[in-house]
Amino acid sequence: MPELNLDALKKVGLAGVIGEVAFEVYAWMISPVIFGPTLEPANLVKAIVAKLTGIMLPYGAAFVLHFLIGSVLFAGMVFAIQGIIKKGYVLAGLISGLILWFVAQGMLAPFIGRPFMMNFNAYTQSSFVAHTSMM
């Protein structure tokens, strides 16, 4: 079994937090200028939690939950994918971003009743930029 590189894991974890901050800056400030919609993935989190549990999370709690998922899950995926493909972290980040974009728009959005990939509208296109730019 290969040895766990804790230094690389710490760096990827920090990169996950930075990537999620960049995602939120893009979502709130840049997306509305370029694509029109403000990305608010916390609304997706709220809808999923409500559908699964019946609990209506406050927007702030859903935002924090998305931030944690975005920073920790993204960093973990990048770390794992880089270990599998044995290529650079940028490529691993791009692959992770594509996967998370598809999960959000292609699987989770339909789960809460929205169309597959939200009919590839401006929100979906902007979401693609947001997820793949986290790399």
Side-chain angles (χ1 to χ4, degrees), residues 111-130:
F111 177 73
I112 62 164
R114 295 181 179 159
F116 175 76
M117 299 303 281
M118 306 249 312
N119 292 326
F120 294 94
N121 62 17
Y123 191 97
T124 305
Q125 294 167 33
S126 184
S127 176
F128 172 81
V129 172

Side-chain angles (χ1 to χ4, degrees), residues 14-68:
L14 178 59
V17 171
I18 293 168
E20 184 60 28
V21 168
F23 179 102
E24 295 298 339
V25 168
Y26 170 84
W28 289 92
M29 296 179 182
I30 300 170
S31 177
V33 174
I34 297 173
F35 289 96
T38 299
L39 301 180
E40 295 188 63
N43 287 330
L44 179 62
V45 172
K46 284 179 62 171
I48 291 167
V49 170
K51 184 169 183 171
L52 292 174
T53 67
I55 297 169
M56 293 300 298
L57 284 180
Y59 186 87
F63 182 91
V64 169
L65 187 55
H66 180 266
F67 191 92
L68 290 171

Side-chain angles (χ1 to χ4, degrees), residues 42-98:
N43 287 330
L44 179 62
V45 172
K46 284 179 62 171
I48 291 167
V49 170
K51 184 169 183 171
L52 292 174
T53 67
I55 297 169
M56 293 300 298
L57 284 180
Y59 186 87
F63 182 91
V64 169
L65 187 55
H66 180 266
F67 191 92
L68 290 171
I69 292 167
S71 56
V72 174
L73 178 64
F74 181 75
M77 282 184 69
V78 170
F79 191 76
I81 289 173
Q82 192 281 331
I84 293 167
I85 65 174
K86 305 291 187 218
K87 301 290 181 188
Y89 284 102
V90 171
L91 179 59
L94 178 60
I95 292 167
S96 298
L98 285 169

